[in-house]
Amino acid sequence: MYKLFLKIATRYLLKNKLYSFINIFGLAIGIASFVLIMLYVNYEHSYDKFKGSDHVYRVYMDYLEGDKYVPGDAEAYIASGPALKAEFPEIQDFVRFRRLNDLVVLRDNYPYDNIVGSLADSEYFDVLDHGLVKGDVETALKEPYSIVLSTLLAKKIFGDMDPIGKALKIAGDDTVSFTVTGVMDNSGRNTHIKNDLLVSFKTFYSWKVFEGDWKYTWNQNVYYTYLKLAENSDVQLLNQKVMNFRPKGFEFQEKHHLEPIEDIHLYSNKPFEAEANGSGSSVRLLAIIAFITLVLSWMNYMNLSSSKSLERAKEIGIRKVVGAQKTQLVLQFLLESALLNGIAVILSLLAAYLLLPSFNAFVEQDLGLDGKQLKGLLPYFGILVMGATLAAFYPAFILSRYNPAKALKGKVQSSRSGLTFRKGLIVCQFIATIALLTGTFVANKQIHYLKNRPIGANLNQIVALSGQVFDREKDSLFHQDINIFINELKNSPYVSNVTGASTYPGDDFLEINSSVGLTFPNGHTDEKHIWYHYAARPEYFEVMEMDFVAGEAFKETARGFSNNIVINEKMAHFMGIDDMQSLIGKTIRFGESDWPISGVVKDYNHFGMKSPVVPLIIRHYKETDNILVKFNEKALTSAGMDKALAEFNKIWLVIFPQSTYNYSFLDEQFEALYKKDRKFSRAFQIFTILAILIASMGLFGLTSYTVVQRKKEIGIRKVNGATIAQILSLLNKDFVKWVGLAFVMAVPISWYAMDQWLEGFAYKTSISWWIFALAGLTALAIALITVSWQSFQAAVANPVDSLRTE
């Protein structure tokens, strides 16, 4: 029996090629899109998931803003972990990190650069459930000057040699050696805090690199702190107790706060995050798009199958007359559905496999359809099976219930409830289409807004040069050589101007300093609010084309630097002063020193458009972390740029032969802050197009069968004088009504979704009325274009052909 059912199903699908193609292709697109998106969604949700990760929490600080506390930095104090563990028995252990960025590791004086590491407590392996490939987790980070390497870095430095016990040095202090005590394999772990190497935390207390920080306990929050809680701990109660905790003997305005380590990557976007985190709202919207695309393909199947059922009425009647049972008919149609869906699933997985390299390049990840990834998709395959089964049952139920007498007489018609259901499916498709189009337009508008909104500085044609010099300290001789390098650059035919700064707009958040405690010119002291500061040379403002609202840049002294500062407008408002000119020459006190204000610069976005402008102080110093070079017109050709960069490299290596050398363009670094948002926008566009394609295919198929059913009606109308325009209006007016109804329902849904997404931006575009109008008109145009071709074919057909069979 089943063999016969399979044969009949195969013949039916082959006979109805258009119907089969639309359904199979639509389902394949929907499933392939769903699989690719959910691979990425699973990847984003896999960050910091390990055995016991649900008991690990990060400590961050809340700051007092006026009379309320607001989330502050992602970092805490060096004493936070030990103090909290000693205070609360629910805390079993803690681990602290202090970031060591842009490290240069030396082996026999050969440099390995661009390395990111951290100081880490020996409890690292217990709290974060991370083992070692080589070495002993109990002792690897126990002693000072112990170092643990990642497998990739160990391979890079030592090749196939066993690194345990080998000595390494770190540029900046080559007077001490570090002993390799372990190798960790973190290549397969997704984490928000990545490390190429770990240095034992005990090293901090004797390593002269941190000599100036040894005295700080509750007044320097530059440490990422993670707590491991006991099982069955009441986290909410503990968090409340932690927030109320105050260290004894210290003026402490902040509050400690706990957040799950599993939530950090997608739901934390604080200042001084260890890495650029993802966006939970963007991932959630992509997952919604995946389900919408899949549901649209199921809707197509249900709509086409139930519409097609009218053509099979006589077949059903004959089968029932010769003794076919209802259950047999249901099994027959379910087998057809299973065959169709099975082909679609095979094609979708093949498409997903073939498209995966391009998709990986798009999302810049290394996703795969291996056992681990497929295992993560198993819950979704359950949804696929359940959805496909439900989608198949509706047409099978419709077909099996036809009255055989009416079916054989050709009097079977769609019931009112059936028509209402199919119309409802079409309206749902248009709701999804309009919502996705609205989302695409809003995302594009937001990215365009961010890209073109003035940031208060001109980053174009500026390159940042930096490097680690490891054969000398940053003494007076070093600064003299830096000045020689800057003067050589100024003499270059490709250079307009040169300056130096410790950081710049678009640079890593960790490169700027944050502080609390500031005495205003009127003598008032603020110990509650955070503000930021960095150092620069006087030419910095000219190179960056920043405008002054009062005063001027730093005043040069005989020493080449001074204690002059430039503040931004936000800092002036922070101090409650609106008359910028009155601040010039006044003194601010912080860091146990007085700092005269030489100028007030217009506000600019140092951290990108996702963060608001913050109070800033720019100190005058002969800073050398980054040499900022402004190109002239001669360097703007590709050949000129290559020659200029080669010349800069040559000059650097002549002056600093024992060093590394790097360069980066400021405009590219600033735009990189929105890389994930641009990728999200493009992903939104691609999968919206696919969803619209699926909906259009369904409309095309549905229109085909609608025209067939109304063929004789159209012929009669034409014989009675109906024009082509009237026939087109007759066939298309229902779709216009359905689009209108879908538009009314889609507007509030899409507005709410995109308004929530825009909340992640400090500076956001408006959701203009024309976006909804454009989305509605686009959906209407898609619908009319899809159905008009079929309608036109029916309208121009010879009515004699359609009436001949009467």
Side-chain angles (χ1 to χ4, degrees), residues 134-440:
K134 295 181 179 179
D136 183 359
V137 294
E138 298 296 329
T139 60
L141 293 174
K142 207 77 172 176
E143 300 300 325
Y145 303 100
S146 299
I147 190 169
V148 172
L149 307 178
S150 69
T151 50
L152 292 176
L153 184 59
K155 180 74 173 176
K156 182 178 180 180
I157 297 176
F158 295 101
D160 295 328
M161 186 185 305
D162 185 356
I164 302 298
K166 300 294 189 296
L168 294 173
K169 293 185 178 182
I170 296 179
D173 182 12
D174 59 0
T175 62
V176 295
S177 293
F178 293 82
T179 302
V180 179
T181 55
V183 177
M184 58 183 177
D185 184 7
N186 55 5
S187 57
R189 170 172 284 192
N190 295 333
T191 176
H192 73 283
I193 182 165
K194 299 176 179 66
N195 290 289
D196 299 316
L197 61 81
L198 298 173
V199 177
S200 61
F201 205 90
K202 286 185 178 179
T203 307
F204 169 82
Y205 299 102
S206 56
W207 196 9
K208 69 176 183 178
V209 168
F210 297 108
E211 185 175 2
D213 296 340
W214 294 342
K215 61 182 178 180
Y216 295 117
T217 54
W218 292 108
N219 46 6
Q220 188 187 54
N221 58 326
V222 293
Y223 302 88
Y224 299 100
T225 303
Y226 301 83
L227 309 177
K228 183 178 181 179
L229 307 186
E231 292 188 18
N232 303 319
S233 296
D234 187 333
V235 178
Q236 290 187 342
L237 178 60
L238 175 62
N239 189 39
Q240 192 60 50
K241 291 191 291 185
V242 166
M243 291 173 67
N244 294 329
F245 169 75
R246 294 292 183 274
K248 298 175 182 178
F250 288 91
E251 289 283 337
F252 201 76
Q253 295 288 343
E254 300 93 340
K255 285 184 177 181
H256 291 89
H257 206 130
L258 304 182
E259 61 182 333
I261 190 173
E262 295 178 351
D263 291 350
I264 292 173
H265 175 67
L266 288 180
Y267 304 106
S268 178
N269 189 29
K270 301 177 181 63
F272 296 100
E273 290 285 356
E275 308 278 349
N277 286 333
S279 168
S281 60
S282 295
V283 171
R284 185 165 51 249
L285 279 176
L286 282 178
I288 291 171
I289 292 173
F291 278 96
I292 288 175
T293 307
L294 186 62
V295 170
L296 284 177
S297 64
W298 287 336
M299 286 182 177
N300 275 351
Y301 175 77
M302 294 170 66
N303 225 338
L304 290 175
S305 297
S306 55
S307 298
K308 185 71 172 173
S309 66
L310 292 175
E311 292 185 14
R312 306 187 69 177
K314 288 185 179 180
E315 175 194 344
I316 306 303
I318 293 171
R319 284 176 180 274
K320 284 194 171 185
V321 167
V322 298
Q325 300 297 316
K326 185 175 181 179
T327 54
Q328 292 176 316
L329 293 172
V330 171
L331 284 174
Q332 168 67 54
F333 301 132
L334 286 178
L335 187 61
E336 288 179 11
S337 174
L339 179 61
L340 189 146
N341 277 274
I343 296 171
V345 168
I346 292 171
L347 290 176
S348 68
L349 292 178
L350 178 62
Y353 178 78
L354 294 175
L355 293 172
L356 193 56
S358 300
F359 186 72
N360 278 333
F362 176 73
V363 298
E364 297 182 4
Q365 301 294 350
D366 188 22
L367 308 176
L369 286 170
D370 53 20
K372 182 179 178 181
Q373 300 285 0
L374 289 174
K375 184 179 178 181
L377 291 177
L378 282 179
Y380 305 121
F381 280 119
I383 294 173
L384 286 174
V385 172
M386 184 178 68
T389 303
L390 291 175
F393 259 108
Y394 176 72
F397 178 73
I398 293 293
L399 285 165
S400 63
R401 60 186 272 188
Y402 284 153
N403 184 295
K406 289 184 178 181
L408 291 174
K409 291 178 182 179
K411 294 184 178 181
V412 173
Q413 294 181 347
S414 295
S415 66
R416 183 176 298 275
S417 60
L419 284 172
T420 302
F421 181 75
R422 287 193 288 278
K423 289 177 183 178
L425 291 178
I426 294 172
V427 170
C428 289
Q429 287 181 316
F430 281 126
I431 290 173
T433 300
I434 293 169
L436 290 174
L437 285 168
T438 302
T440 298

Side-chain angles (χ1 to χ4, degrees), residues 34 68 243 357 368 453 512 534 579 597 647 666 688 704 722 741:
F34 181 81
K68 64 179 181 178
M243 291 173 67
R453 186 182 187 276
I512 197 170
Y534 65 97
D579 183 2
I597 301 172
E647 180 182 304
L666 267 61
T688 295
S704 299
L741 177 60

